[in-house]
Amino acid sequence: DRDTKEVLRKMVPRVLGIGMNQLLFLVLTVIASTLEAGSVTIFQFAYNVEFFPIGVFGVSYAIAAFPTLSEHFTSNRLEAFREVFASTIRQLLFFLIPVTIVFLLLRAQIVRVVVGAGAFDWTATILAADTLAFFALTFIPQACVYILARAFFATHDTVTPLTAGIVSAILGVISAFLFTKSFGVIGLAMAFGIAETVNAGLLWILLRQKMGSLHESHIMAGLFKLIPAALCSGLIMLFVRSFVVRFIQLDTFMNVLSQVVITGLSGAIVYLGILFFLKSQEFESFFSSMTRRQLKKAES
């Protein structure tokens, strides 16, 4: 059957692509087992924590956008395809830019909230937190990989994401051997981040060649508002964190959670307030979607 053959032809590269990402993680875990005791636990822990925002935002947005991208490409509405892609990336940046800052500033608190205040000693906490920080630096390219891959799938191309994945995985393994000599388990997070950044860069360039444009100017217009707002919120969180730690110690779960909540909320209020003042399109889209959900709940 022709349709069955077509499904199998496109499915095989996709399955191999998924396996390639898991193979990279497996190889990095094996390398971690050759480092000092506890490196495997710290690496896997940091990876599991960092994947939470990737799964919530990157995977979710990619799955949500895929049917629309497929419909536009099938109907030859390429301009609409570009608009949906750019809008999805901008919404992703709206969430992940501040999340990145939160993970960088509150990495130690996040580690202790997840594992419990006393599960890791302070040395292990700092090592896990620093490993998590290097994962956090590449939240955006990691999440973009999922959207870029779905964009290729919408154009009936499953080979290109596989090829980019193979190249980036090889680079990641080479980087891991180089970085672990000086940085230990932290070097594994650095290597993983480099692999994902290269993967996202290759996919972006190749998709742009295929589509002609990805409306980068629209994306940059959003960044001109998102980045200043995120930086201001980060400064506020630094100030609030330095004030809070004087009165709340990192010795119990509730104390650590209180530090995260108080500092994070202060940053969120500043971030959203600045975007409201700047009339950010991403903020307006987020607010309108929240309003529609509340209205639906009220009607039901």
Side-chain angles (χ1 to χ4, degrees):
D1 179 72
R2 183 181 62 182
D3 293 335
T4 302
K5 292 180 180 178
E6 181 71 8
V7 169
L8 292 175
R9 184 180 67 83
K10 295 175 181 177
M11 183 183 71
V12 171
R14 173 55 181 154
V15 172
L16 293 176
I18 296 174
M20 188 58 57
N21 189 53
Q22 295 301 313
L23 181 61
L24 172 61
F25 179 74
L26 176 62
V27 172
L28 294 182
T29 303
V30 171
I31 296 175
S33 68
T34 66
L35 304 176
E36 61 181 346
S39 295
V40 173
T41 299
I42 289 175
F43 176 69
Q44 291 182 339
F45 166 80
Y47 177 81
N48 290 336
V49 174
E50 75 96 21
F51 191 78
F52 177 74
I54 303 301
V56 170
F57 300 112
V59 176
S60 298
Y61 270 101
I63 292 174
F66 176 65
T68 306
L69 292 172
S70 298
E71 181 182 357
H72 289 324
F73 184 82
T74 302
S75 303
N76 201 31
R77 297 193 295 266
L78 299 186
E79 182 62 22
F81 181 101
R82 300 185 191 101
E83 290 176 357
V84 171
F85 176 84
S87 176
T88 303
I89 294 294
R90 288 180 61 166
Q91 286 294 322
L92 183 70
L93 294 174
F94 170 75
F95 289 106
L96 282 186
I97 290 177
V99 167
T100 298
I101 293 178
V102 168
F103 269 72
L104 291 175
L105 295 181
L106 300 175
R107 57 188 184 275
Q109 288 85 346
I110 292 173
V111 168
R112 292 219 154 185
V113 164
V114 174
V115 302
F120 280 1
D121 60 26
W122 188 243
T123 301
T125 298
I126 293 300
L127 187 57
D130 291 343
T131 305
L132 179 60
F134 278 96
F135 275 125
L137 287 172
T138 56
F139 276 167
I140 292 174
Q142 286 186 61
C144 284
V145 165
Y146 288 93
I147 297 175
L148 288 162
R150 293 307 192 286
F152 274 103
F153 298 159
T155 65
H156 305 170
D157 181 358
T158 57
V159 175
T160 299
L162 171 61
T163 305
I166 292 174
V167 172
S168 62
I170 294 173
L171 182 60
V173 173
I174 295 173
S175 300
F177 282 111
L178 295 176
F179 292 149
T180 51
K181 294 180 180 179
S182 301
F183 302 102
V185 67
I186 297 176
L188 297 177
M190 297 167 63
F192 185 85
I194 289 175
E196 291 298 288
T197 301
V198 170
N199 196 1
L202 289 174
L203 290 175
W204 192 289
I205 292 171
L206 295 172
L207 183 63
R208 194 180 195 283
Q209 290 179 345
K210 181 187 290 282
M211 303 304 299
S213 169
L214 296 177
H215 284 338
E216 287 89 350
S217 59
H218 296 176
I219 297 172
M220 291 301 298
L223 284 175
F224 286 140
K225 296 180 180 180
L226 295 175
I227 291 179
L231 291 177
C232 289
S233 70
L235 292 175
I236 293 298
M237 284 192 289
L238 273 175
F239 173 77
V240 172
R241 187 189 66 178
S242 64
F243 178 78
V244 168
V245 295
R246 298 177 185 176
F247 304 96
I248 305 176
Q249 301 299 319
L250 286 172
D251 53 355
T252 67
F253 173 80
M254 290 306 301
N255 283 356
V256 178
L257 183 61
S258 298
Q259 285 192 16
V260 173
V261 171
I262 294 172
T263 307
L265 279 178
S266 65
I269 291 171
V270 172
Y271 179 69
L272 295 176
I274 293 175
L275 291 181
F276 173 77
F277 176 77
L278 295 177
K279 297 181 180 180
S280 166
Q281 180 181 338
E282 290 74 28
F283 172 80
E284 293 176 355
S285 298
F286 170 72
F287 183 77
S288 62
S289 65
M290 294 296 293
T291 303
R292 287 195 299 269
R293 290 174 185 173
Q294 293 300 323
L295 288 175
K296 288 181 180 179
K297 290 182 180 179
E299 291 174 356
S300 60

